[in-house]
Amino acid sequence: MGNNRRVRVMVAKPGLDGHDRGARIIARAYRDAGFEVVYSGLHQTPEEIVEAAIQEDVDMIGLSSLAGAHKYLFPRTVELLREKSAEDIVVCGGGIIPEDDIPPLKEAGIKEIFTPGTALDDIVKWVKENVKPR
Amino acid sequence: MTDVAEKIVNGDVRAVARLIRDIDDGMPGVRQVLKELYPSTGNAYILGITGAPGVGKSTLVDQMVSHLRKRDKTVGVLAVDPTSPFSGGAILGDRVRMQRHSMDEGVFIRSLATRGHFGGLTQSTRSAIDVFDAMGKDYIIVETVGVGQDEVDVVKSAHTTIITVIPGMGDDIQAIKAGILEVGDIFLINKADREGTDKTLSDLRLMINMDHKKYEEGNWKPPILKAQAVFDKGVKELLEEIDKHRKHLTEHCGGWQVRRREDKVRQELGDMIKSRLIEEVLGKITETGDFDEAVNSIVEGKTDPYTACDKLVLPAIGVSTG
Ligand code: B12
Ligand SMILES: Nc1nc2c(ncn2[C@@H]2O[C@H](COP(=O)(O)OP(=O)(O)O)[C@@H](O)[C@H]2O)c(=O)[nH]1
Ligand SMILES: [Mg+2]
């Protein structure tokens, strides 16, 4: 078996937003960094995302939203994790998120937000520094 | 019984998710839990689905889950995807096709990466099957990309193994012949909406007919089915064929719980010993640095690999070097 914990993350697309280019690019960057990446596919409810994350035993959920519903979908995901006593799963997000929305999202428990133009290296580095395999 | 084992037998989702992770990561303590779970296993019917990437295995699994749920059966799915040999990471995307079952408490879907450790995939997948079995799943479906020896070994733990191909695979069908044809209990031509289905059907039929043993009295003759997984066509028929195979195992093979049969036990225990030995011996000698030292000695011409191997392995398994 060989004792080595791998970082496992899930890249998820909540809501009706069909923009998946960014999510796929992020998933590939994570894989290239050596993480095991579960990709959720499009049109997931926060409930489905949280259930899948628990079954997959991931260390982090990365939410991607470009359609403007992040203000509800992101905090709802964190809330559901708390309800399931799974708040040890870190949540971050990215996409088209207006500057003004970021502080309230962080207050709601989303640990970091990455907007367009962020270098993939920085996105990967953040996981290495902030997500430890549990 | 440990707390963990008890939680798993009671169907605790988080405990199951965590134990499968621990198995995969080779964490200490898992063996104890698996020992305790073993008496609770042997009740699930295990299906192995294999085939080249893109033939529609995950789509098929998704549909099969729906059909099994309609029969009120609970299902565990293990979806195995390849680890990148460059980074050691993996994108596990099988789940995308099965997401409609996320909220169904009777379904547990878990993605696994091949990881590429020695014999590890076979071992950890079998252990994960045992965990789903112990938590009480009626059916366990294992999806693997059918290429390597590991994958073939994995499907050998299944009660019914389904080999999936698509029309127009031509030479690829020839390629399946090597090694995997023998393990197929059911052959499925998916994407039968495409051209060339009948040609593939006759190619397959020819190859299976060449395998004479399959036609001896009382042996199971692998059927060849057509399906269109995306449109849920042929899936019901596939499940009926699985039922028939299960009945065949029951009537002709001393019960469908073949994993308790001598030949299977022999195989699985043999595999377990192999991977355990590798883990213990290779683990130990890499940790102490003896392995690297031996490599250097051979490179520098101070010794030969045969002597080095004896020196490394024999003491590790308690045999004195003569
Ligand atoms: C390409 C594109 C499309 C493609 C999508 C193709 C696909 N499969 O993805 C198509 C043509 C289909 C499309 C359609 C639509 N689009 Co469009 N589209 C874009 C466009 C031009 C680029 C998006 C993109 O792919 N960027 C490249 C990727 C790599 O960047 P990214 O996703 O932003 O990701 C980066 C970061 O945000 C971050 N990130 C993102 N997700 C995540 C997740 C994690 C975990 C992390 C760590 C980081 C992270 O990291 C990435 C790298 O830096 C944007 C405009 C823009 N400049 O963003 C509009 C845009 C997103 N679209 C828009 C709209 C309105 C639409 C439509 C509704 C209608 C329309 N007017 O075209 C439809 C709806 C589609 C649907 N079903 O939801 C609006 C959204 C407005 C809003 N949010 O209020 C935008 C902003 C254009 C605009 N200025 O109006 N679109
Ligand atoms: N035309 C056609 N496409 C299918 C069929 N079944 C699955 N697919 C598509 O084949 C692609 C690969 O399917 P997937 O289940 O991910 O394949 P896997 O890699 O074998 O697991 C997807 O786009 C499916 O929608 C089918 O019967 N006919
Ligand atoms: Mg698949």
Side-chain angles (χ1 to χ4, degrees), chain B residues 225-281:
Chain B
L225 309 177
K226 294 189 221 174
Q228 300 174 32
V230 254
F231 309 114
D232 194 25
K233 280 193 187 158
V235 182
K236 193 167 147 273
E237 289 75 5
L238 170 64
L239 281 159
E240 285 165 5
E241 219 43 66
I242 291 167
D243 292 340
K244 278 190 211 157
H245 186 237
R246 181 174 181 156
K247 194 158 167 273
H248 171 88
L249 293 175
T250 311
E251 289 170 359
H252 299 276
C253 306
W256 63 266
Q257 290 98 333
V258 287
R259 282 183 89 200
R260 293 287 194 275
R261 230 168 49 188
E262 195 203 317
D263 57 336
K264 288 272 179 175
V265 169
R266 191 176 291 279
Q267 162 109 36
E268 292 197 13
L269 180 61
D271 289 347
M272 191 181 283
I273 291 172
K274 253 185 266 173
S275 58
R276 182 73 193 278
L277 269 177
I278 292 172
E279 183 188 336
E280 295 290 340
V281 176

Side-chain angles (χ1 to χ4, degrees), chain B residues 52-59 94 97 143 190-191 193 227-230:
Chain B
V55 297
K57 298 179 294 298
S58 301
T59 312
D94 296 317
R97 316 260 178 240
E143 173 189 336
N190 191 38
K191 307 201 186 183
D193 48 314
Q228 300 174 32
V230 254

